[in-house]
Amino acid sequence: MARAAAEDESGPSAVFWPQTGRAAAMPRLLDLDERGELTAAHVRLVAQALGKSERTVWRWLAAALQDQRFARVEASRFTITAEIRRLLALSGGNASRVHAELMQRAAEDPDAPAVPSCRRCTGRSAGT
């Protein structure tokens, strides 16, 4: 139980890191809820310990009740493959042209990346 930050004039700060604290607290809050013993005081205590708002903890609890999700869901990230590097080289680094080519190839694929995703990814790949 490492202290994440020191206390200041506004009161105590987070005692646990939110990422690990959420995963640890949600099963206990769900257990209390299942037994009908969950109170606002429990939620308030978790919120204070994690340095989050009570509203945030209630939203986490709703997500955990709905789909047993105890931690944040990471968004998938578009990455450049060898084929996309080849297309970038052929298009002179033009992400819009690569995107158009990908869209043409994957007309039925709903997971085709958007132009901004291509641009961000090419920037990350180029180190800019």
Side-chain angles (χ1 to χ4, degrees):
M1 293 192 301
R3 182 169 285 281
E7 292 186 19
D8 60 12
E9 300 88 37
S10 63
S13 355
V15 177
F16 298 97
W17 296 108
Q19 299 86 349
T20 55
R22 176 181 179 178
M26 286 303 107
R28 177 67 177 140
L29 291 177
L30 286 174
D31 183 50
L32 288 168
D33 187 51
E34 225 175 72
R35 294 183 307 189
E37 298 174 6
L38 181 65
T39 66
H42 293 114
V43 172
R44 190 174 308 112
L45 180 66
V46 169
Q48 288 173 348
L50 300 179
K52 297 292 183 181
S53 70
E54 289 178 45
R55 176 70 186 123
T56 296
V57 176
W58 282 114
R59 282 188 294 109
W60 289 350
L61 189 57
L65 283 167
Q66 183 177 2
D67 57 7
Q68 297 297 309
R69 179 168 42 102
F70 300 138
R72 181 176 178 217
V73 175
E74 293 296 324
S76 62
R77 191 172 185 178
F78 176 70
T79 56
I80 292 186
T81 63
E83 176 63 12
I84 294 174
R85 285 185 197 281
R86 188 184 72 74
L87 291 172
L88 277 167
L90 291 173
S91 69
N94 187 328
S96 294
R97 204 175 300 158
V98 170
H99 177 261
E101 173 68 23
L102 292 174
M103 292 303 290
Q104 183 178 1
R105 289 182 181 186
E108 292 95 35
D109 184 6
D111 294 330
V115 173
S117 295
C118 285
R119 287 192 180 122
R120 275 192 311 274
C121 196
T122 56
R124 277 196 314 267
S125 177
T128 58

